[in-house]
Amino acid sequence: MPLNDDPDDALNETLTHTPYDGSSQPFTIGLKPLDPHEWIEIDGDLENYLAEKDRLYGALLEKVFVAEADTGEAQREILDALVAYLPERFPETYRRIGDAIEIPALGRRIALNAAETPPLRTASLLVPEDLILMRKGDNGWRLAAGSLCFPSSWSLTEKFGKPLHDIHEPVPGFGPGTRPAELIERMFDRLQGQAVERFNWSLQAGDALYHPISQRQRIDRATMQPSKFSEDEIAAQAFIRVERQTLRKLPKSQDILFTIRIYLNPLSMLGKHPERATLAASFAGQLAGLDQAQLDYKGLSADRDRLVAVLSQMAGAS
């Protein structure tokens, strides 16, 4: 569901993160240490995210929330961590009142001990991030629970219960048996007190936060290579979708919490940025450097050349 009809009325009014500037490279692991103080990012768009989560929980609960039966304690550990962190880090936004967290500016009160609501779902209604619980088993780390309201072209129900190497199978260069797959598994094993973060970018038509795609749809898209955009001006239709991902080990359960924050901005906003020449040139270079498998994965095979041309024009504008 698009959140705005006007592309200039962006969900995120600034380019908070620009991983296409060369600070991150597509299809690399790219993990960097994260200051625990900066674990969650809260801004003026919080209500937009929470309202969309409310809508999706009401309409598509089975598609956006999953949990193995024995993950309740780990879910509670996540909720407790957020309840401890948020009022201290963002006292102007969050307030702990008894068995609830209040967000006064939004008129929201989130009960922390509602028996009918899984703790992870409660936790998800505190923050704009999606929350994924990874658990170690005989076949490696698997997706054991998750609130995923804002998927970037994947399906929570398809990935539920699967180990990392199967989750990443569609990603070029990251499938089972590849060196990146082995490195990710090893990194999960070694993750202790240090939180880490990484970034991804993609391009989509429109500003829908809920952007799922099944594996069957991905295969069909790679085969047919349809355009995401009409013949009209592509810069007016394209949105930059940036994922900020964090990983941290939960000290009690020893599970890993994977958070995903989505930022959406019209591509046209890049043309108004004071560093548009540098950013657009770098973005064009990353797009131009994608191979066919990577283009198919991102769904950009039909549109890459048009997008590179638009970005190159932005880079050359005075």
Side-chain angles (χ1 to χ4, degrees), residues 9-222:
D9 184 17
L11 175 62
N12 303 116
E13 295 182 353
T14 59
L15 297 174
T16 306
H17 299 290
T18 56
Y20 40 83
D21 61 7
S23 58
S24 299
Q25 295 298 319
F27 297 96
T28 61
I29 297 173
L31 288 170
K32 299 176 182 178
L34 171 65
D35 180 353
H37 189 64
E38 305 302 329
W39 176 32
I40 300 295
E41 295 189 341
I42 301 299
D43 54 32
D45 289 310
L46 179 60
E47 176 60 20
N48 289 329
Y49 289 88
L50 298 185
E52 182 67 348
K53 287 186 179 186
D54 287 339
R55 185 188 74 83
L56 290 165
Y57 280 143
L60 301 171
L61 178 59
E62 293 182 355
K63 293 185 177 181
V64 299
F65 186 85
V66 296
E68 294 179 358
D70 62 348
T71 58
E73 290 185 7
Q75 292 185 46
R76 187 73 207 191
E77 188 177 3
I78 293 169
L79 176 58
D80 289 345
L82 284 169
V83 167
Y85 171 83
L86 291 170
E88 179 179 351
R89 176 65 180 86
F90 304 102
E92 70 285 357
T93 302
Y94 297 93
R95 185 166 58 196
R96 175 73 184 267
I97 305 293
D99 289 335
I101 287 282
E102 291 185 352
I103 310 177
L106 305 183
R108 287 181 173 267
R109 184 180 187 276
I110 299 93
L112 301 177
N113 297 311
E116 70 280 6
T117 305
L120 187 63
R121 183 175 163 190
T122 299
S124 75
L125 292 174
L126 296 173
V127 294
E129 282 81 357
D130 283 326
L131 307 173
I132 303 293
L133 179 72
M134 303 297 296
R135 174 165 288 181
K136 184 68 179 287
D138 293 339
N139 200 24
W141 291 89
R142 71 182 184 279
L143 198 164
S147 166
L148 185 76
C149 291
F150 312 134
S152 294
S153 299
W154 60 289
S155 164
L156 179 63
T157 54
E158 285 188 351
K159 304 298 185 183
F160 180 41
K162 289 187 176 181
L164 277 171
H165 55 80
D166 285 344
I167 289 173
H168 290 139
E169 183 176 7
V171 184
F174 282 75
T178 62
R179 177 164 174 75
E182 294 173 358
L183 289 174
I184 292 173
E185 190 79 26
R186 197 176 308 155
M187 180 274 297
F188 268 59
D189 287 339
R190 294 177 178 176
L191 189 65
Q192 295 300 329
Q194 176 62 63
V196 294
E197 69 176 352
R198 68 183 299 272
F199 293 89
N200 276 338
W201 61 259
S202 57
L203 287 155
Q204 67 180 58
D207 68 344
L209 283 167
Y210 181 64
H211 198 265
I213 186 172
S214 68
Q215 180 60 7
R216 179 71 260 171
Q217 289 171 319
R218 185 182 300 281
I219 293 171
D220 289 346
R221 186 177 69 179

Side-chain angles (χ1 to χ4, degrees), residues 290-302:
L290 297 179
D291 64 29
Q292 189 58 56
Q294 293 167 342
L295 287 169
D296 287 344
Y297 179 79
K298 286 185 175 288
L300 295 173
S301 296

